[in-house]
């Protein structure tokens, strides 16, 4: 009986201990689960600010990147054949503006884009400023004058190109240039004296600065002269002023008093272009770029091909003949890195067509080879070009 009672008591204690242990185990499990949940909640709550902070940093970096971008739109104006297109091509080190030895090569305003570091420069290559008489004489489009006005209206600054190689016109700014500067006098402007390689006398250049700026920018105020300060002083001390320029009156109708800077350059040799580049980068405005970094122009490839053909026709044909021709694209495609293009040139008569083709199509072949060379330089790709001529009065055509 005693043994039975001890067994029952032992069993009772064992069950009690089991219940207690079960409670303890359940308490431990609950506490562990609660601890895990608390840690998970704390971790999630800590991740939310971290994610938000990452997003903020990414947004700030993007905003900072946009803020660090600078750009400037420059309208390059001047009389025909002042060297505007050559100047732009050499400054951006890329052939995007067609050039020729004749006037009115540029018939409409186009953009040339140059990205250097964090700064993007957008140049407007404008048609030469002309009078209504010149528009009629060279068979120019009716919107010829409005093209440069449209460019200036979208520009931040005006670059006035002046040819100093012409002894008859270098001592005065053209009336159309002065009218344009006066019309847009709210925009800052600077003067570029181009083709200085044609002048051997520095004293003539120094005097030209005084005359064309109405003596508002002295030789020691311009950017070029600051770099040549000592040399300029020696020139002024050892040489007399040019008699022809000294006697000329500094009247308002030959000069502009609001130029901010004067640069002496040679677009052909590249002399002085770095000074202009540094100046434009310095005055650029803080804003996002309008074009991607690899862009050089806003013109389509087809338009570039047609304009290149027209520019070389100006070089190879005499007098007013090339101004009466009409060029248009017939075919354009790019396959496996090679550009294939065909341009049709419409001539006013069979006689003009024969003049373009030359004997045994010799002249047309020369023109085609020259344009092909220009386009290879522009696109950086092989070009297969065909130029076809057609007369308005005849249905026959010749191809090369």
């Amino acid at each position: 009986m005693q043994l039975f009672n001890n067994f029952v008591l032992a069993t009772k204690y064992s069950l009690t201990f089991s219940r207690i242990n079960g409670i303890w185990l359940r308490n431990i499990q609950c506490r562990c689960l609660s601890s895990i949940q608390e840690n998970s909640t704390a971790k999630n709550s800590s991740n939310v600010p971290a994610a938000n902070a990452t997003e903020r940093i990414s947004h700030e970096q993007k905003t900072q990147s946009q803020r660090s971008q600078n750009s400037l739109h420059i309208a390059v104006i001047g009389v025909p054949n002042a060297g505007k297109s050559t100047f732009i091509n050499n400054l951006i080190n890329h052939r995007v503006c067609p050039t020729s030895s004749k006037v009115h090569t540029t018939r409409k305003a186009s953009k040339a884009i140059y990205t250097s570091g964090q700064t993007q420069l957008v140049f407007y290559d404008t048609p030469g400023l002309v009078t209504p008489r010149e528009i009629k004489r060279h068979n120019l489009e009716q919107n010829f004058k409005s093209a440069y006005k449209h460019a200036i209206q979208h520009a931040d600054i005006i670059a006035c190109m002046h040819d100093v190689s012409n002894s008859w016109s270098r001592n005065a700014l053209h009336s159309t240039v002065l009218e344009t500067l006066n019309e847009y006098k709210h925009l800052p402007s600077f003067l570029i004296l181009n083709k200085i390689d044609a002048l051997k006398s520095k004293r003539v250049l120094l005097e030209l600065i005084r005359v064309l700026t109405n003596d508002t920018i002295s030789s020691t105020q311009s950017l070029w002269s600051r770099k040549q300060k000592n040399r300029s002083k020696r020139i002024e001390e050892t040489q007399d002023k040019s008699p022809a320029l000294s006697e000329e009156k500094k009247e308002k109708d030959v000069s502009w008093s609001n130029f901010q800077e004067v640069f002496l350059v040679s677009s052909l040799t590249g002399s002085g272009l770095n000074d202009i580049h540094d100046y434009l980068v310095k005055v650029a405005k803080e804003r996002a770029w309008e074009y991607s970094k690899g862009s050089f122009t806003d013109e389509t490839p087809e338009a570039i091909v047609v304009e290149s053909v027209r520019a070389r026709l100006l070089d190879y044909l005499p007098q007013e003949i090339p101004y009466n021709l009409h060029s248009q694209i017939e075919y354009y495609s790019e396959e496996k890195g090679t550009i294939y293009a065909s341009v049709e040139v419409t001539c006013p008569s069979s006689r003009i067509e024969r003049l373009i083709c030359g004997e045994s199509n010799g002249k047309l072949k020369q023109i085609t080879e020259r344009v092909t060379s220009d386009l290879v330089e522009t696109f950086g790709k092989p070009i297969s070009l065909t130029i076809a001529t057609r007369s308005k009065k005849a249905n026959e055509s010749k191809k090369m």
Side-chain angles (χ1 to χ4, degrees), residues 147-373:
Y148 70 83
K149 290 187 177 181
H150 177 78
I152 295 175
Q153 290 169 359
H154 290 80
D156 302 308
I157 192 169
I158 299 174
C160 182
M161 184 77 64
H162 187 69
D163 181 6
V164 299
S165 66
N166 191 331
S167 59
W168 296 98
S169 61
R170 68 185 176 207
N171 299 331
L173 295 175
H174 196 274
S175 59
T176 55
V177 174
L178 290 171
E179 290 174 5
T180 303
L181 290 172
N182 188 62
E183 185 176 357
Y184 298 96
K185 58 186 177 183
H186 61 282
L187 288 176
S189 60
F190 61 94
L191 178 64
I192 303 175
L193 300 183
N194 191 25
K195 305 181 184 180
I196 61 170
D197 51 308
L199 288 179
K200 296 181 179 180
S201 177
K202 296 297 182 183
R203 60 190 174 93
V204 174
L205 289 172
L206 294 175
E207 187 65 14
L208 276 175
I209 294 176
R210 297 188 183 92
V211 172
L212 298 179
T213 64
N214 199 23
D215 209 17
T216 56
I217 297 182
S218 66
S219 60
T220 55
Q221 287 177 320
S222 65
L223 182 62
W224 174 83
S225 294
R226 284 202 297 269
K227 291 188 175 183
Q228 304 289 337
K229 187 175 181 180
N230 295 333
R231 183 179 178 183
S232 299
K233 285 183 177 180
R234 290 196 301 269
I235 291 174
E236 289 178 319
E237 290 172 357
T238 58
Q239 297 182 352
D240 296 327
K241 296 180 181 179
S242 173
L245 293 176
S246 298
E247 295 174 0
E248 183 171 355
K249 295 181 180 180
K250 298 173 184 178
E251 299 176 354
K252 292 183 179 180
D253 59 348
V254 301
S255 62
W256 180 248
S257 303
N258 298 331
F259 287 125
Q260 296 187 347
E261 285 288 355
V262 178
F263 297 92
L264 307 183
V265 306
S266 171
S267 298
L268 192 61
T269 64
S271 174
L273 296 183
N274 288 336
D275 292 338
I276 297 182
H277 169 270
D278 296 342
Y279 172 72
L280 295 177
V281 170
K282 180 181 178 181
V283 300
K285 298 184 177 181
E286 187 179 280
R287 63 188 175 198
W289 295 346
E290 185 178 348
Y291 301 95
S292 61
K293 190 173 184 178
S295 300
F296 291 99
T297 180
D298 65 334
E299 292 290 314
T300 63
E302 294 87 346
I304 293 176
V305 172
V306 171
E307 289 302 307
S308 297
V309 171
R310 193 179 61 79
R312 290 310 169 195
L313 289 173
L314 288 170
D315 276 337
Y316 280 85
L317 299 177
Q319 301 173 356
E320 307 299 319
I321 292 176
Y323 298 103
N324 296 318
L325 304 176
H326 177 69
S327 302
Q328 63 181 10
I329 196 79
E330 278 189 314
Y331 175 79
Y332 181 91
S333 70
E334 183 176 345
E335 301 175 10
K336 297 180 180 179
T338 300
I339 296 175
Y340 298 88
S342 177
V343 177
E344 182 183 73
V345 180
T346 304
C347 310
S349 66
S350 299
R351 183 183 67 84
I352 300 300
E353 184 182 8
R354 289 193 298 271
L355 179 64
I356 295 174
C357 294
E359 185 177 354
S360 300
N361 286 340
K363 181 173 287 188
L364 184 59
K365 183 179 180 180
Q366 289 180 346
I367 296 173
T368 304
E369 291 176 350
R370 185 64 184 274
V371 176
T372 300
S373 177

